[in-house]
Amino acid sequence: MGKGFESSPESKVMIKKSARDRYIYAVKRIADWEEAWSLKLNDGFVTTSDKEGNLSMPIWPFKEYAMKCIGDEWQNCKTQKIHLDTLLDEILPNLLEEGTHVVVFKIPEDPDVVRVSADDFKDNLLNEYLQYE
């Protein structure tokens, strides 16, 4: 059995980074690989809420990171790959319309997380993606 991404040096370094550094990394990776990951429960994507009850959809740059968050809050979830076009053209506009933000690269080891509006996340992804064209 080969080494997976989860046991790679890059993975071990990223879980020790600050929420802001994880956010920057996630934007670059999602734009570069043209895919993101989230968790689905039944027919819909999961959401999380802050102390004020504001909803956010969690997004990760790789499946392995999303899988680490299956448990406590999201026990019966499955990982779901999201193509960049679907994220930019469908999911983020829907989240914006609903007033739901995005939580990027949440990890169990660190309660600190970057929470941004769907619009800001879309702008960050587009700016990063255009650098690759």
Side-chain angles (χ1 to χ4, degrees), residues 10 24 30 51 62 67 71 90 101 117 122 126-128:
E10 183 178 9
I24 292 165
I30 292 167
K51 291 177 181 121
F62 291 108
M67 288 175 67
E90 297 172 29
H101 282 61
S117 73
K122 182 176 181 178
L126 283 171
N127 287 336
E128 189 64 33

Side-chain angles (χ1 to χ4, degrees), residues 11 13 26-29 34 41 44 52-53 55 57 71 84 93-95 99-100 104 108 111 114 116 122-123 131:
S11 171
V13 168
V27 168
K28 288 177 190 245
R29 287 289 177 238
E34 296 186 24
L41 184 60
E52 290 79 41
L55 289 179
M57 178 182 163
L84 184 62
N94 287 344
L95 293 177
T100 302
V104 181
V114 172
V116 295
K122 182 176 181 178
D123 287 347
Q131 292 181 27

